[in-house]
Amino acid sequence: MELKDIKSVYFIGVGGIGMSAIARFFLKKGMVVAGYDKTPSVLTRQLEKEGVLIHYTENIADIPHICQNKDHTLVVYTPAVPAQHQEVQWFREQGFDVEKRAQVLGMLSRSQRALCFAGTHGKTTTSAMCAHIMHQSHLDCNAFLGGISKNYGTNYILSDESPYVVIEADEFDRSFHWLRPWMTVITSTDPDHLDIYGTEEAYLESFRHYTTLIQPGGALVIHTDLKVKPAVGNDVRTYEYSQDKGDFHAENILIEDGEITFDLVSPIERINNIRLGQPVPINIENAIAAMAMAQLNGCTAEELRYGMLTYHGVERRFDFKIKTDRIVFLSDYAHHPKEIFQSARSIRELYRNRRITVMFQPHLYSRTRDFYRDFADSLSLLDHVVLTEIYPAREEPIPGITSQLIYDNLKPGVEKEIIRKADALQYVRDHDFEVLVVLGAGDLDNMVPEMEEVLRKKYCSQ
């Protein structure tokens, strides 16, 4: 189905962070947008306010009448929805054009100059950084992000004139194979989603294949330390980056008084005295990747400096809720051992002399099974580890796989305990903290606003 033929779009799993961005795109284009999600959330309520028709039960009768015409309705579903979902089955039986979110992004990547960000971790932050740089530059852009940008209060940017679209390229379910990037960054390839890929070799092969999809004349910007072997065409330029080496890297890094500045070394133009608006050590490398992409597409030195200075971050990515001399409270989406290692190292670097407590909700039984020792090693960088039960997401329980596996492998000297997620808020009420970090990709983050309220009353109202 071509874009010009679509009058209505129906989303199954509309409340997902990536799905909602595309829903907003079609809504802005003047189409009727409706959908299903399992449970209401802040995001679904906001979509409803914007005009998306949403229901929360698997019921064919609840599908709006206009979305029951297969000649002009596109149906989009997320792979997280079970194949036996009643509405998915009904649309297929009726002969509708039913596509994954990734297929729709693929359509958009072919129609515009797609700047894509792939990797096990770092892709949400780097894509959001690049989108902000591009949007406030003379180039502008569209963007589909994997998190809510604090600059814009949304996971979506729309431009009527820019030919650029910034896309977070998700490797889950090989979704990024639908894309045709004009240029792409690959931040990391640490094995993940082994319930899908099976082996590290298959995971790396998936990224290798992704590099073959870059359009002629485009470019690949890849981290220096990755195992994947790119397979780009002869007419695709390849650059490497990292914090301290590669075609794009940093020099003269200064971390002082809560500020971070550095110089960008680039094959295009060296840019001195870049200051991060979100001064977190891991963001030095993220910024290098984002600026490399923006610079390759024509952003000026001043646009890069201004973009990084005014970048405010992404919700749940080093998301500081309280930052005072008495208490620091933040949430972070980190849910892979390498992400947690990077997060923990950055927090430790920022708060060397404070006691750091992490409250971590493991995400997926399969990921816990595959990486529980690595989780324990990463979490052991901090002083006090509070574990909750595993968030299952799309999975059924695996016998013997619980948070106890991580608990038992934490290093000696680390304070540790396991609590029920339902008791997490009361735990915050009953204990004292200097730095408290909520980590994970599950639903523990839903309690963060209430935790913030408790901590403000306890430490900030005196």
Side-chain angles (χ1 to χ4, degrees):
M1 185 176 287
E2 297 294 328
L3 194 61
K4 62 182 176 60
D5 301 322
I6 301 171
K7 294 182 181 178
S8 56
V9 189
Y10 188 85
F11 289 84
I12 302 173
V14 69
I17 196 70
M19 292 280 278
S20 62
I22 304 178
R24 285 171 163 142
F25 171 82
F26 287 113
L27 195 65
K28 291 280 188 180
K29 293 293 184 183
M31 301 171 191
V32 174
V33 179
Y36 158 88
D37 209 278
K38 189 175 182 179
T39 54
S41 66
V42 172
L43 191 47
T44 59
R45 287 193 288 270
Q46 183 59 42
L47 289 171
E48 290 183 274
K49 288 180 182 178
E50 294 173 19
V52 180
L53 307 172
I54 302 176
H55 64 272
Y56 302 94
T57 55
E58 291 186 44
N59 191 344
I60 308 306
D62 289 338
I63 299 171
H65 180 73
I66 191 171
C67 296
Q68 296 186 30
N69 186 324
K70 66 181 180 182
D71 294 330
H72 62 231
T73 299
L74 171 65
V75 178
V76 187
Y77 74 100
T78 170
V81 171
Q84 64 271 24
H85 191 282
Q86 291 181 28
E87 295 183 9
V88 173
Q89 290 182 328
W90 184 82
F91 280 117
R92 284 185 168 141
E93 289 168 358
Q94 300 301 314
F96 279 74
D97 188 356
V98 181
E99 295 190 355
K100 294 180 182 179
R101 166 183 172 269
Q103 291 173 273
V104 178
L105 285 178
M107 175 183 71
L108 297 177
S109 74
R110 291 188 296 273
S111 64
Q112 296 184 288
R113 287 202 161 189
L115 310 182
C116 301
F117 290 78
T120 313
H121 41 264
K123 54 184 177 286
T124 298
T125 297
T126 50
S127 61
M129 283 179 170
C130 182
H132 175 60
I133 295 168
M134 297 284 291
H135 182 59
Q136 57 81 43
S137 77
H138 72 284
L139 299 171
D140 203 356
C141 70
N142 299 276
F144 296 96
L145 308 173
I148 302 297
S149 163
K150 288 188 164 186
N151 288 87
Y152 307 106
T154 181
N155 55 332
Y156 166 73
I157 296 172
L158 177 64
S159 169
D160 293 332
E161 297 181 0
S162 177
Y164 294 99
V165 56
V166 176
I167 295 175
E168 180 172 329
D170 188 3
E171 79 277 12
F172 173 69
D173 198 35
R174 298 178 174 83
S175 293
F176 62 169
H177 289 175
W178 292 102
L179 300 173
R180 289 298 309 278
W182 165 240
M183 296 185 185
T184 189
V185 164
I186 300 180
T187 62
S188 50
T189 55
D190 301 295
D192 197 12
H193 304 300
L194 296 186
D195 55 323
I196 301 293
Y197 288 99
T199 65
E200 179 180 3
E201 290 73 23
Y203 188 74
L204 293 173
E205 168 57 27
S206 185
F207 277 91
R208 187 206 65 80
H209 177 70
Y210 172 69
T211 66
T212 70
L213 304 175
I214 302 170
Q215 295 183 31
L220 167 66
V221 181
I222 188 168
H223 196 282
T224 56
D225 297 336
L226 306 191
K227 292 182 180 179
V228 67
K229 304 299 181 186
V232 299
N234 293 330
D235 48 4
V236 172
R237 293 162 287 161
T238 298
Y239 303 91
E240 292 189 334
Y241 83 96
S242 74
Q243 180 166 308
D244 55 5
K245 59 186 176 182
D247 301 294
F248 295 89
H249 65 271
E251 288 183 354
N252 301 321
I253 298 170
L254 180 63
I255 302 176
E256 189 174 64
D257 297 328
E259 300 290 343
I260 297 178
T261 59
F262 63 91
D263 301 338
L264 175 68
V265 178
S266 157
I268 299 171
E269 177 188 7
R270 182 187 178 104
I271 305 175
N272 295 331
N273 196 31
I274 291 165
R275 185 153 65 97
L276 295 183
Q278 191 190 35
V280 179
I282 187 59
N283 276 348
I284 298 170
E285 197 161 78
N286 291 332
I288 292 166
M291 288 190 291
M293 183 76 92
Q295 194 179 42
L296 285 168
N297 284 282
C299 283
T300 67
E302 284 308 309
E303 287 170 344
L304 291 173
R305 280 199 195 92
Y306 182 76
M308 294 317 309
L309 177 63
T310 56
Y311 172 75
H312 296 157
V314 178
E315 289 186 9
R316 296 186 72 180
R317 268 60 171 196
F318 261 95
D319 191 356
F320 285 92
K321 302 298 184 181
I322 308 174
K323 191 192 293 188
T324 71
D325 292 338
R326 178 63 188 86
I327 180 70
V328 173
F329 177 48
L330 68 150
S331 69
D332 192 70
Y333 190 71
H335 57 283
H336 182 278
K338 187 67 177 292
E339 291 175 337
I340 292 172
F341 174 81
Q342 297 284 9
S343 180
R345 188 172 66 175
S346 286
I347 294 166
R348 177 60 72 196
E349 190 169 354
L350 287 170
Y351 302 105
R352 298 179 188 276
N353 301 316
R354 296 210 205 182
R355 180 174 180 269
I356 303 171
T357 300
V358 58
M359 191 175 288
F360 176 55
Q361 179 187 39
H363 186 267
L364 297 179
Y365 296 103
S366 61
R367 187 180 282 127
T368 305
R369 175 198 62 202
D370 295 335
F371 301 118
Y372 65 87
R373 292 186 182 87
D374 300 313
F375 277 123
D377 288 346
S378 295
L379 291 167
S380 294
L381 291 173
L382 304 177
D383 303 301
H384 181 201
V385 178
V386 181
L387 298 167
T388 73
E389 63 269 33
I390 296 169
Y391 181 74
R394 58 188 178 271
E395 293 185 337
E396 295 297 322
I398 299 174
I401 305 302
T402 70
S403 297
Q404 189 73 36
L405 288 170
I406 299 173
Y407 179 94
D408 290 342
N409 283 272
L410 289 165
K411 292 181 179 179
V414 175
E415 296 178 54
K416 59 184 181 179
E417 51 197 308
I418 298 177
I419 66 171
R420 296 189 313 143
K421 186 198 75 175
D423 297 331
L425 185 60
Q426 190 60 45
Y427 186 92
V428 173
R429 290 191 183 101
D430 295 342
H431 293 78
D432 287 326
F433 308 96
E434 294 181 7
V435 178
L436 174 61
V437 188
V438 173
L439 282 185
D443 59 357
L444 180 62
D445 188 77
N446 294 341
M447 295 185 179
V448 164
E450 294 173 280
M451 291 180 184
E452 179 183 353
E453 184 178 349
V454 168
L455 293 170
R456 285 191 181 280
K457 286 180 180 178
K458 188 186 295 188
Y459 297 112
C460 304
S461 60
Q462 299 172 358

